[in-house]
Amino acid sequence: MSFSAADHCYMAEALRLAELGRLSADPNPAVGCVIVKEDEVVGRGWHRAAGEPHAEVLALREAGTRSKGAVAYVTLEPCSHHGRTPPCTDALIEAGVAEVVVAMIDPFPANGGHGLELLVRAGIKVRSGLMEAAARALNQGFVSRFERGRPWLRVKLAISIDGRIAGPDGQSQWITGPAAREDTQRWRARASALLTGIGTVLADDPRLNLRLSGVDRQPLRVVADSQGRLPANARMLNLPGAILVASTQPAPWAREGVSWWQGPANRAGRLDLGALLDMLAERQVNELHVEAGAVLSGALLEAGLVDELLVYQAPVLLGQGQPMLTLPGMEKFDQRLHLDLIDSRRLGPDWRFLYRPQGG
């Protein structure tokens, strides 16, 4: 399909609107919509939170009667099913829009192209695929959950120049400075869930909560704890937000706000990480942000479950400290894992690098 320069400008505006819901729409996708009538934007909308009106409905409300004969630019195919809110296809048809331009097809099975079919049947012109790559990147976790059956997984690491995550005495607070730690909070805010391992809990007793001004929700906190060793007095248990403990053992204790999931073990007797991700996808986890030690982070990487490595590097040397990853299956040079550098930027004295495994 052909798209004009104006089409690109209007869809770029819709994508900017969608970005506003990136930290609040979860587990729904972030969606933006722009209504255009006679080369003028007459309505704008973005999806704020699950259960609230969708972007198309808000944009149509703002446009009012000017929606009739207008063009709607939407970052994701309008929904055609009844969920917490009525179908957006119905709203667009009733408003009398003449055309709908969509960035990407909705991967949600109940929609998956059906919404566009309904619009076409109603006599509305439909074009799709405009700025699709940007739309997919905006909702990479939502897309991953439905296309791959598992969340988009990001491992965060804070390291020294010599690749250590802790000193020889085990001390790791703080390797990086305030700017890097504040940036980490923004990445946490993007996630549906935060994952750590029992080793990190026992060693550091982390809070693992979201501390970002303007964001009220708390992502689900998940502890990978094969043998059920999580202390009932761990600090994170006394903070707001739900906690899920994933173990191969039955729950050793019960507490309000804490749920236990007993999953299968792998050959080594540890929690099957693939099964863990399958379960989290079923619980509507789109993006999984991992802040764990070398063992769990390394195991996720070796299992091919890591989509991104978010590495903060501080200008310090830690000598004989703990390595950033434990990769026992990588014994020869020709087994090295190649990464693509996606982004790099300076944060105070530190640097942040975003990598993706090649071929992932």
Side-chain angles (χ1 to χ4, degrees):
M1 295 184 181
S2 61
F3 300 101
S4 67
D7 288 331
H8 281 82
C9 287
Y10 294 134
M11 187 59 78
E13 173 65 11
L15 286 165
R16 283 192 290 271
L17 289 168
E19 182 74 34
L20 297 174
R22 194 168 199 171
L23 305 186
S24 60
D26 189 83
N28 287 358
V31 181
C33 178
V34 170
I35 307 293
V36 178
K37 182 72 172 290
E38 297 176 351
D39 300 325
E40 178 189 358
V41 176
V42 296
R44 296 178 175 86
W46 54 280
H47 183 47
R48 290 166 172 76
E52 294 192 13
H54 288 188
E56 299 94 319
V57 172
L58 293 174
L60 290 170
R61 285 180 186 174
E62 184 177 297
T65 57
R66 292 175 294 179
S67 298
K68 189 173 180 61
V71 180
Y73 293 84
V74 193
T75 58
L76 183 70
E77 174 191 4
C79 65
S80 58
H81 61 284
H82 283 269
R84 297 185 186 181
T85 58
C88 291
T89 50
D90 290 356
L92 291 164
I93 293 169
E94 291 170 5
V97 300
E99 183 179 3
V100 175
V101 181
V102 173
M104 63 173 287
I105 303 298
D106 189 351
F108 184 57
N111 212 23
H114 183 58
L116 300 188
E117 292 175 5
L118 291 177
L119 296 174
V120 171
R121 290 178 196 170
I124 297 174
K125 181 180 178 181
V126 171
R127 290 182 292 158
S128 64
L130 174 59
M131 303 180 74
E132 180 178 4
R136 289 178 65 88
L138 179 66
N139 286 302
Q140 58 192 9
F142 183 79
V143 172
S144 175
R145 177 157 64 96
F146 288 107
E147 290 188 350
R148 302 190 302 175
R150 67 172 181 84
W152 182 269
L153 191 148
R154 180 183 306 109
V155 170
K156 174 258 179 181
L157 299 164
I159 65 171
S160 62
I161 286 180
D162 49 351
R164 305 295 176 176
I165 61 173
D169 57 355
Q171 181 67 32
S172 61
Q173 295 181 338
W174 298 99
I175 292 177
T176 55
R181 298 199 296 274
E182 176 72 13
D183 189 70
T184 296
Q185 292 295 322
R186 286 190 283 271
W187 286 93
R188 284 185 182 183
R190 287 178 45 159
S192 306
L194 311 176
L195 171 66
T196 194
I198 185 60
T200 297
V201 175
L202 296 176
D204 300 335
D205 197 16
R207 288 176 288 177
L208 199 70
N209 62 338
L210 178 56
R211 305 181 295 276
L212 187 64
S213 176
V215 181
D216 296 327
R217 73 178 188 90
Q218 285 292 334
L220 172 69
R221 281 167 291 171
V222 184
V223 180
D225 181 13
S226 295
Q227 303 305 313
R229 294 183 292 157
L230 179 67
N233 62 348
R235 183 164 59 161
M236 69 170 65
L237 304 182
N238 297 313
L239 299 172
I243 293 177
L244 173 65
V245 187
S247 180
T248 63
Q249 307 297 318
W253 47 263
R255 179 170 174 170
E256 185 178 357
V258 181
S259 59
W260 291 76
W261 174 75
Q262 186 174 355
N266 59 21
R267 293 179 179 178
R270 291 179 174 170
L271 184 69
D272 185 306
L273 296 175
L276 171 61
L277 264 60
D278 292 343
M279 178 273 294
L280 291 176
E282 293 174 358
R283 296 191 180 211
Q284 297 185 306
V285 171
N286 293 326
E287 284 195 21
L288 180 61
H289 180 87
V290 181
E291 295 189 26
V295 174
L296 178 56
S297 296
L300 288 165
L301 192 62
E302 279 202 309
L305 299 174
V306 175
D307 296 302
E308 291 179 333
L309 282 169
L310 183 66
V311 181
Y312 295 88
Q313 190 168 46
V316 297
L317 296 169
L318 293 178
Q320 301 302 312
Q322 298 177 18
M324 60 186 291
L325 295 167
T326 300
L327 299 166
M330 195 175 294
E331 300 174 351
K332 298 180 180 179
F333 183 76
D334 59 9
Q335 292 177 302
R336 64 194 184 279
L337 178 63
H338 294 274
L339 307 172
D340 289 324
L341 178 62
I342 305 301
D343 180 70
S344 63
R345 61 190 62 193
R346 188 166 184 170
L347 299 168
D350 308 316
W351 279 88
R352 187 193 76 193
F353 302 98
L354 184 65
Y355 298 99
R356 290 181 185 167
Q358 289 186 2

